[in-house]
Amino acid sequence: MNIKTTPTAVALRDPWAMVPSIGNLDAYITAVNRIPLLTPEEESELGRKLQADGDVQSAGRLVLSHLRLVVSVSRQYMGYGLPQGDLIQEGNVGLMKAVKRFDPGQGVRLVSYALHWIKAEIHEYILKNWRMVKVATTKSQRKLFFNLRSMKQGLKSQAGDTETFRNTLTPDEVDVVAQQLNVKPEEVIEMETRMSGGDVALEPQTDDGEESYAPIAYLADDTHEPTRVLEARKRDHLSSDGITQALAALDDRSRRIVEERWLKVNDDSSGGMTLHELASEYGVSAERIRQIEVAALKKMRKAIETV
């Protein structure tokens, strides 16, 4: 006999069976929005079971029914450039902390109690990951960080349509923000500057063509990269000891021809002797000097390969 299962029945057996992986964000959000909400009586009963007996299934159902709350809160922090999936995961951590500490005897609904914990975890995550440099280290600076964006939008709207696209606050607006948040005007200016600055990705964001070029390509110092170091040592050795050993393998005439033709530089940068000058000195034709030169270079090349 086939038994028809309802979302509630599934949730009773395995609270997380209804929730897909957060890797598929759209499917996750759709699923959590379909999870039935708990009545006040059900919430109190589950809370008492968790508090008295440590019932894991009761905790799971409490968390499950409030996942949509985390999704809703996460949307408020989309302006910081962090993935919504990550914000939701951090918010879920805060929700689980709230469920663990939830006391139904206080007469407060879990949604009101959990809101603080969800936001606290998301705030902490944003402060750690939004910038590599810490932007808010005191309580007042944290308050400024999370309120400056919305206050700035409100002040720009009050200024009228002609000022809508102005990016920075005026001195008067800085004073207003400083007074309302109880911070120094200098702190408002510094925080606005940091929040307005754009991040530049060091690593390429794509693998296609020129778009994959990123600052890491020219910021990287490859002078101490092992392969480069070995190549430099080999090159230095060949340019000194290698050439010396290769020349030593030649007879006197061949060595002199190579030195005059390739290694000698006069004061006027004109180089060494020409083929005809060497031919006249040795009493042979210029073609013969060229042949000797070619043979000597081949012999030197073989000698260098064995170095």
Side-chain angles (χ1 to χ4, degrees), residues 1 32 57 93 126 141-142 147 156 159 172 177 187 197 199 202 228 233-234 251-253 260 264 289-290 297-298:
M1 179 176 63
V32 299
Q57 283 199 344
V93 173
I126 292 174
Q141 287 178 332
R142 291 165 69 98
N147 287 276
K156 287 167 65 178
D172 291 340
V177 174
E187 292 182 57
D199 287 337
L202 289 178
R228 294 295 183 93
R233 288 178 180 175
K234 185 70 173 179
D251 58 78
D252 292 342
R253 184 175 65 172
E260 289 290 344
K264 192 171 183 180
I289 296 296
R290 190 192 67 79
L297 292 175
K298 286 182 179 179

Side-chain angles (χ1 to χ4, degrees), residues 43 79-80 112 116 165 176 189 201 210 241 253 263 270 301:
E43 185 177 288
Y80 294 99
S112 302
H116 163 76
F165 298 101
V176 171
I189 296 173
E210 295 182 357
D241 298 343
R253 184 175 65 172
L263 303 177
S270 60
R301 192 174 295 113

Side-chain angles (χ1 to χ4, degrees), residues 7 13 34 36 57 64 85-86 96 100 106 132 149 174-175 199 202 206 216 223 240 242 256 278-279 281 293 296:
R13 292 200 310 269
R34 290 177 178 173
Q57 283 199 344
L64 197 69
D86 292 350
M96 287 185 281
K100 183 178 180 180
Q106 294 181 348
M132 292 176 65
R149 190 186 300 273
V174 169
D175 291 337
D199 287 337
L202 289 178
T206 64
I216 194 68
T223 56
S240 55
R256 172 121 192 285
L278 288 168
E281 178 179 333
E293 177 187 1

Side-chain angles (χ1 to χ4, degrees), residues 64-96:
L64 197 69
S65 64
H66 289 79
L67 291 178
R68 66 176 69 192
L69 172 64
V70 178
V71 172
S72 177
V73 173
S74 71
R75 293 194 180 102
Q76 302 173 21
Y77 300 93
M78 294 295 291
Y80 294 99
L82 296 171
Q84 187 181 10
D86 292 350
L87 297 174
I88 291 173
Q89 285 183 323
E90 295 300 321
N92 287 344
V93 173
L95 173 60
M96 287 185 281

Side-chain angles (χ1 to χ4, degrees), residues 179-198:
Q179 290 176 7
Q180 292 187 14
L181 298 180
N182 194 29
V183 295
K184 298 178 182 179
E186 294 80 9
E187 292 182 57
V188 176
I189 296 173
E190 180 185 3
M191 187 65 70
E192 183 191 21
T193 302
R194 290 189 178 191
M195 295 180 69
S196 299

Side-chain angles (χ1 to χ4, degrees), residues 198-232:
D199 287 337
V200 178
L202 289 178
E203 299 288 349
Q205 302 302 300
T206 64
D207 296 326
D208 301 327
E210 295 182 357
E211 294 182 359
S212 63
Y213 188 76
I216 194 68
Y218 56 83
L219 289 178
D221 180 11
D222 59 2
T223 56
H224 298 291
E225 195 268 328
T227 304
R228 294 295 183 93
V229 172
L230 291 175
E231 288 178 352

